[in-house]
Amino acid sequence: MKTLAKIAEGFISLFQAGGENLVGLITGILPTLIVLITFVNALIKIIGEDKVQRVAQRATKNVFSRYIILPFISVFFLTNPMCYTFGKFLKEKYKPAFYDAAVSFVHPITGLFPHANSAELFVYLGIAQGIQKLGYSQGDLAIRYFVVGLIVIFIRGITTEFITNKMLSKKQV
């Protein structure tokens, strides 16, 4: 009987932990995210969705701005996970590649701009602590991490765009 009671307690504790996590989200990131979404949408309405759309369309004609500048701006200003909403301003054929670039950049930006993805800060700080114990500079790590991140998101953006174009061309045949 004790074994069954322990199994039942373990089963219930799993759901209690899930409930605690949900409460943490509801009192933590969700209100911030809702206010941020509301602010960005209000700003777009004030400026005019057509104007924002035109500027974004012009900005995304260049492959460098599409997969380096736009992901950087979106992650820096809107942070993770709101940064992905910038993709709504791109043409459909660029959306998968933009998402890939943006999602790949939410970690490398953390060393220089911790606000962009504070949930991942513990990972970066763990790596940085090891680097410091080896006698290297945390600042150098942050810069290198950031630069390599920009290179990687550019490569991922181009690669995903290529794959998307191949898949779309096969779909139309």
Side-chain angles (χ1 to χ4, degrees), residues 63-85:
V63 71
F64 294 103
S65 63
R66 190 166 54 241
Y67 301 126
I68 295 176
I69 296 170
L70 193 61
F72 169 75
I73 290 171
S74 67
V75 172
F76 182 82
F77 286 107
L78 298 181
T79 72
N80 186 26
M82 182 67 186
C83 59
Y84 311 121
T85 62

Side-chain angles (χ1 to χ4, degrees), residues 47-142:
I47 294 170
E49 200 163 329
D50 56 330
K51 289 178 186 175
V52 173
Q53 188 75 33
R54 280 195 305 267
V55 169
Q57 292 290 325
R58 275 188 243 126
T60 59
K61 285 183 180 178
N62 180 318
V63 71
F64 294 103
S65 63
R66 190 166 54 241
Y67 301 126
I68 295 176
I69 296 170
L70 193 61
F72 169 75
I73 290 171
S74 67
V75 172
F76 182 82
F77 286 107
L78 298 181
T79 72
N80 186 26
M82 182 67 186
C83 59
Y84 311 121
T85 62
F86 259 41
K88 75 179 185 177
F89 298 113
L90 280 77
K91 292 180 180 177
E92 288 298 318
K93 66 181 184 176
Y94 299 138
K95 287 181 181 185
F98 169 78
Y99 175 79
D100 192 5
V103 79
S104 299
F105 194 59
V106 295
H107 194 75
I109 197 172
T110 306
L112 291 177
F113 306 105
H115 74 282
N117 194 17
S118 56
E120 290 291 326
L121 190 57
F122 72 95
V123 175
Y124 173 78
L125 292 176
I127 295 166
Q129 185 179 25
I131 293 295
Q132 283 181 318
K133 283 184 179 178
L134 292 173
Y136 297 108
S137 165
Q138 185 176 347
D140 287 346
L141 173 67

Side-chain angles (χ1 to χ4, degrees), residues 146-159:
F146 182 80
V147 171
V148 169
L150 290 174
I151 294 166
V152 167
I153 66 171
F154 182 66
I155 292 168
R156 288 183 68 112
I158 291 171
T159 303

Side-chain angles (χ1 to χ4, degrees), residues 11-25:
F11 184 74
I12 289 299
S13 69
L14 176 69
F15 292 98
Q16 288 172 333
E20 290 172 12
N21 186 40
L22 177 62
V23 169
L25 290 172

